[in-house]
Amino acid sequence: MADEALVIIDLQNDFCPGGALAVAGGDEIVPLVNDLIRRTEHVVLTQDWHPAGHSSFASSHPGKQPFETIEMPYGPQTLWPDHCIQGSLGSDFHSGLAWTRAELVIRKGFRPEIDSYSAFFENDHATPTGLAGYLKERGIDTLTLVGLATDYCVAFSALDAVKHGFYTTVRLDACRGINLNGSLETMLNRMRDAGVTLA
């Protein structure tokens, strides 16, 4: 088991019911995730960590509404409600999450000009977070991903994990999705096609 890690994606207040970008049922997965934490030697967390006025916020683009898409230098970008602003209550991990067992927290989305879904890369698919190097240096080759949201940050993290050569499983029972314009089915298919195990 020492070569396996649990990667918990963005289990933060703003993605749970009552938050700024709430995923339906996002808080329901906390007990299951805590059970996985107890049974896993290596635990890594990601934390969405946006500065105020981030370029992915609809409020940063006059006349635009949340969930519209614009073109950014790195490609299409969905615009979001302001969420997970650095140091805010919304950016905190869910209060029920047993996160103190984590040996690493990867903060993402802190560059004002680019969004970051994946635990491994910014949305330009070129700027690394350093997670792959950390895991490989620790001799970890097998990952289980859980968290929020299935069709965005979890899926993009899983796809990049496979690209980096990790044996990758997504525990769908410990994830919840947004399903924006059919995104859930699209991303489940992309993960399957890439060789991610959906459990």
Side-chain angles (χ1 to χ4, degrees):
M1 295 290 282
D3 58 355
E4 297 181 20
L6 176 68
V7 182
I8 303 165
I9 306 291
D10 298 359
L11 197 36
Q12 295 164 259
N13 290 328
D14 267 347
F15 296 125
C16 291
L21 184 48
V23 179
D27 54 347
E28 297 169 359
I29 66 173
V30 171
L32 179 52
V33 172
N34 284 344
D35 189 48
L36 292 169
I37 290 171
R38 279 190 287 275
R39 294 188 280 123
T40 309
E41 186 173 343
H42 299 295
V43 178
V44 173
L45 298 176
T46 69
Q47 187 176 26
D48 224 25
W49 194 248
H50 295 305
H54 192 268
S55 61
S56 69
F57 295 167
S59 62
S60 299
H61 303 272
K64 295 294 185 184
Q65 297 299 314
F67 309 112
E68 288 185 35
T69 301
I70 63 166
E71 277 299 317
M72 297 288 269
Y74 51 84
Q77 172 66 51
T78 300
L79 295 177
W80 305 108
D82 293 24
H83 66 281
C84 295
I85 293 171
Q86 295 170 357
S88 69
L89 185 63
S91 71
D92 287 348
F93 296 117
H94 186 280
S95 61
L97 181 66
W99 64 269
T100 55
R101 279 280 321 282
E103 58 191 50
L104 180 71
V105 176
I106 290 281
R107 286 180 166 160
K108 57 193 185 62
F110 56 81
R111 293 177 174 88
E113 71 285 353
I114 186 167
D115 207 4
S116 185
Y117 296 157
S118 170
F120 293 93
F121 287 107
E122 304 281 13
N123 281 7
D124 60 2
H125 308 294
T127 305
T129 65
L131 178 57
Y134 174 86
L135 294 169
K136 287 178 178 175
E137 195 168 303
R138 301 293 303 276
I140 292 164
D141 63 8
T142 303
L143 305 180
T144 298
L145 273 63
V146 299
L148 306 171
T150 315
D151 40 344
Y152 282 90
C153 296
V154 174
F156 283 99
S157 297
L159 291 170
D160 283 341
V162 169
K163 279 184 202 151
H164 275 298
F166 295 104
Y167 301 106
T168 306
T169 298
V170 171
R171 280 283 301 266
L172 294 175
D173 55 345
C175 299
R176 292 292 183 273
I178 295 174
N179 203 19
L180 191 60
N181 303 319
S183 56
L184 188 56
E185 192 59 36
T186 298
M187 295 310 290
L188 289 174
N189 287 331
R190 277 188 65 183
M191 286 192 282
R192 275 190 207 100
D193 291 347
V196 176
T197 301
L198 301 180

